[in-house]
Amino acid sequence: SVRRALSSVVKMNSNNNIYEESEDAIQWAMNSFTVELNALSSACNEQEQELRILQNLMYDQMCRSKAISDEEERVFHALNALEIDARNFVEESHLVTNMYHSVSEEVEAISHVKLMSVPFNVVISQDTGRYPTINNLRLAYRVNEKASLSYDEVIAAWVQAAQLVAFTCGLHPGFVSPHLRIIPLSHPCAKIVATFADGQSVHNLGWDVVSGADRSKHIDPPSILCFLALLSQLAEHIVNATKSDPPPFSMTLISIDSVDVTKLTGSDTAWSSVVYCIAVNLHWLSNLPVH
């Protein structure tokens, strides 16, 4: 429209034609210029507003970009620390695995050690008439002057047998006899304390030589019975807890190898067989592997 206005003005001047409407045309052209300028000014204002909006958006994007960059840097540091921890963990895991295998091998080796056979050497002779021995002491029910089997040797042998039972009880802390407690190092002989509802009694695995009382030739049968009962309870616990093979001679609280000791008199010769069977089972006890 501006071009058309200017063109008309130029044509009028070039033709040297002065019309009365020239002033109106010029005014119209100026008005057109003004309108165009106002339109351009409005457009510029709008562009400036859009530019400011874009600048704000750009600033926000830059802030976000910096925040993301900082977060990425923190993540990279964390990943680096995690990688270092992972390597340390692998190394420590390798060390722990080696230690575990080493300990497992030691445990496996120890499980085959017959620990009680070291301090307690129980020997069972197959020769008729020979006493079983524990640490070279003959284990017997009665003294034998013809075989030079004295009171002291019988007492000492039963002390060793009592210690074997007591130490084995210590290796199996889950075992507790409800009524019997063995005292292997009591003077002058090992003792068993029996506790029941009607009271408590003490049984000597030997003779109370200190009291000066007359001594019989044999150990008091209730003492052997208490020892047998405790040994039976201990063997049953070990077999059930470790799945070990049972002892060679079966035992109950009152019998061994089907011999009911409650029916034996003090002078019964079957006591020698009972003590022999007890000795064989003590040999089994001393040769059990450690669990």
Side-chain angles (χ1 to χ4, degrees):
S1 61
V2 175
R3 284 184 180 180
R4 287 196 298 270
L6 291 174
S7 176
S8 61
V9 171
V10 170
K11 286 181 180 181
M12 285 188 293
N13 291 332
S14 63
N15 294 329
N16 296 319
N17 295 323
I18 301 173
Y19 299 99
E20 294 179 357
E21 294 85 1
S22 60
E23 185 176 350
D24 295 335
I26 292 172
Q27 185 65 39
W28 176 81
M30 291 179 63
N31 291 338
S32 298
F33 277 124
T34 302
V35 171
E36 290 291 335
L37 288 174
N38 291 335
L40 289 173
S41 177
S42 298
C44 287
N45 291 333
E46 291 177 359
Q47 293 295 325
E48 287 180 358
Q49 291 178 0
E50 291 181 359
L51 180 60
R52 283 193 292 270
I53 292 172
L54 289 174
Q55 288 176 343
N56 292 334
L57 291 174
M58 181 65 70
Y59 178 77
D60 292 341
Q61 286 297 113
M62 291 176 63
C63 292
R64 291 180 182 178
S65 178
K66 188 177 185 305
I68 292 173
S69 179
D70 293 341
E71 188 66 26
E72 286 179 347
E73 187 175 357
R74 285 194 295 270
V75 169
F76 285 140
H77 283 301
L79 287 175
N80 188 38
L82 182 61
E83 184 177 357
I84 294 174
D85 291 341
R87 290 180 181 176
N88 293 336
F89 175 77
V90 170
E91 294 177 358
E92 292 179 1
S93 177
H94 183 67
L95 292 175
V96 171
T97 301
N98 290 339
M99 291 176 60
Y100 169 76
H101 289 306
S102 177
V103 171
S104 297
E105 291 175 357
E106 292 181 5
V107 170
E108 179 66 18
I110 291 175
S111 66
H112 296 288
V113 174
K114 300 173 181 178
L115 186 61
M116 287 295 98
S117 65
V118 177
F120 300 103
N121 181 29
V122 181
V123 178
I124 307 300
S125 176
Q126 302 299 325
D127 297 338
T128 304
R130 293 182 65 98
Y131 292 97
T133 62
I134 177 168
N135 293 342
N136 296 320
L137 298 169
R138 289 172 287 183
L139 191 67
Y141 169 67
R142 58 172 57 86
V143 297
N144 188 343
E145 295 176 356
K146 293 181 180 180
S148 300
L149 181 57
S150 65
Y151 288 98
D152 291 338
E153 184 175 355
V154 173
I155 289 174
W158 281 103
V159 167
Q160 295 296 313
Q163 288 186 51
L164 171 56
V165 171
F167 288 174
T168 306
C169 290
L171 292 176
H172 298 273
F175 169 74
V176 177
S177 175
H179 303 294
L180 301 173
R181 182 167 61 92
I182 195 164
I183 306 175
L185 298 179
S186 176
H187 183 77
C189 61
K191 301 179 185 296
I192 295 180
V193 179
T195 304
F196 296 94
D198 57 349
Q200 188 178 81
S201 57
V202 179
H203 302 275
N204 296 323
L205 289 171
W207 296 268
D208 192 3
V209 294
V210 175
S211 65
D214 293 336
R215 293 181 294 182
S216 65
K217 296 292 185 180
H218 60 76
I219 297 176
D220 192 24
S223 300
I224 304 294
L225 176 60
C226 289
F227 186 87
L228 173 61
L230 181 59
L231 181 60
S232 173
Q233 292 173 346
L234 177 59
E236 182 180 6
H237 171 82
I238 292 173
V239 170
N240 292 334
T242 65
K243 309 303 179 184
S244 302
D245 292 332
F249 293 107
S250 60
M251 294 181 291
T252 69
L253 296 178
I254 61 173
S255 68
I256 184 168
D257 195 28
S258 301
V259 176
D260 188 345
V261 298
T262 61
K263 297 180 179 179
L264 300 180
T265 62
S267 59
D268 202 315
T269 57
W271 281 109
S272 296
S273 297
V274 169
V275 173
Y276 175 84
C277 293
I278 289 176
V280 171
N281 285 357
L282 288 175
H283 179 269
W284 165 83
L285 190 67
S286 68
N287 283 275
L288 287 174
V290 176
H291 290 275

